Amino acid sequence: GALAALPWLVDIPKVQAYISQQASQALGRPVTFASLSLALLPRPAVRLRGLSVADDPRFGTAPFLTVEEGRFGLRLRPLLSGRVEFTDLTLDRPRLEVVEEGGRLNIATLGAQTSAARGASRAGGGAPRGAPAVAGLLSQVRITNGALRYQKRGVTGGDWRLEDMTFTLQANGRGDGLLFKGQAVAQPGGVRLGIPEATL
């Protein structure tokens, strides 16, 4: 019954606006996505399609990050009291473009915000009126079928890529660190890289 009631418990347009606003504020760059929907099975989840994060305009107009699909797992019990709590996040087919030019990296300005934006965020009091409060930390972030391209402009042979990236980052259970594991293929050369387990 709770599963069947999910479409009425989650206000999709307001959650969509809230996620876009909070992600844009956290990254300091415009974040958009083509659509947001609710999946009930095999477990409740919010599904994003066509996610795009803009690049620093000094490096170009192409997106810095694109994700074919993102899935936020939902805790069911909090929904019954009007709260949205995410359990985990899976990013499928992310494409990340890292650019270096003149000694500067396009990732260096990630998270940059104006003081006005910070003040507006504090004054806003979190979720927009009428939207469920978003609480709880993600217990796991997983990347599947990812790719990263590094480009050093103005240098011959300054390009390399990581392909077939699969990474998992999760809490270690004690609350004092994170467990990380993953694998990828470095190009050119087809070098397989792997981290069986690491602690951050």
Side-chain angles (χ1 to χ4, degrees), residues 55 59 97-101 104-107 151 153:
D55 202 352
F59 291 87
E97 298 284 337
V98 178
V99 179
E100 181 179 351
E101 185 174 22
R104 297 182 305 175
L105 288 166
N106 64 341
I107 59 175
Q151 179 185 9
R153 291 176 178 170

Side-chain angles (χ1 to χ4, degrees), residues 11-173:
D11 191 327
I12 293 296
K14 288 179 179 176
V15 170
Q16 179 170 341
Y18 179 68
I19 291 176
S20 180
Q21 176 190 22
Q22 293 301 308
S24 298
Q25 201 168 69
L27 296 174
R29 299 190 184 166
V31 176
T32 59
F33 42 90
S35 66
L36 182 148
S37 61
L38 196 61
L40 303 182
L41 298 173
R43 60 190 180 88
V46 172
R47 179 176 295 169
L48 306 177
R49 291 186 182 274
L51 178 68
S52 177
V53 179
D55 202 352
D56 184 325
R58 290 175 294 182
F59 291 87
T61 57
F64 161 72
L65 171 67
T66 59
V67 180
E68 188 170 302
E69 181 176 291
R71 295 183 298 278
F72 286 94
L74 291 172
R75 291 186 175 94
L76 185 56
R77 187 179 297 274
L79 285 175
L80 301 178
S81 57
R83 299 193 320 276
V84 174
E85 292 187 9
F86 299 128
T87 59
D88 58 89
L89 170 64
T90 299
L91 300 177
D92 188 37
R93 298 187 183 280
R95 298 292 181 265
L96 183 65
E97 298 284 337
V98 178
V99 179
E100 181 179 351
E101 185 174 22
R104 297 182 305 175
L105 288 166
N106 64 341
I107 59 175
T109 54
L110 278 174
Q113 300 181 38
T114 63
S115 298
R118 290 193 188 99
S121 175
R122 286 194 295 268
R129 185 181 303 274
V134 177
L137 297 175
L138 294 171
S139 60
Q140 177 176 282
V141 176
R142 179 174 170 80
I143 291 175
T144 60
N145 303 313
L148 181 151
R149 181 191 177 202
Y150 171 83
Q151 179 185 9
K152 190 169 184 177
R153 291 176 178 170
V155 176
T156 303
D159 287 19
W160 55 265
R161 305 180 309 281
L162 291 179
E163 300 175 347
D164 300 325
M165 294 168 51
T166 300
F167 295 124
T168 301
L169 186 67
Q170 63 185 42
N172 64 3

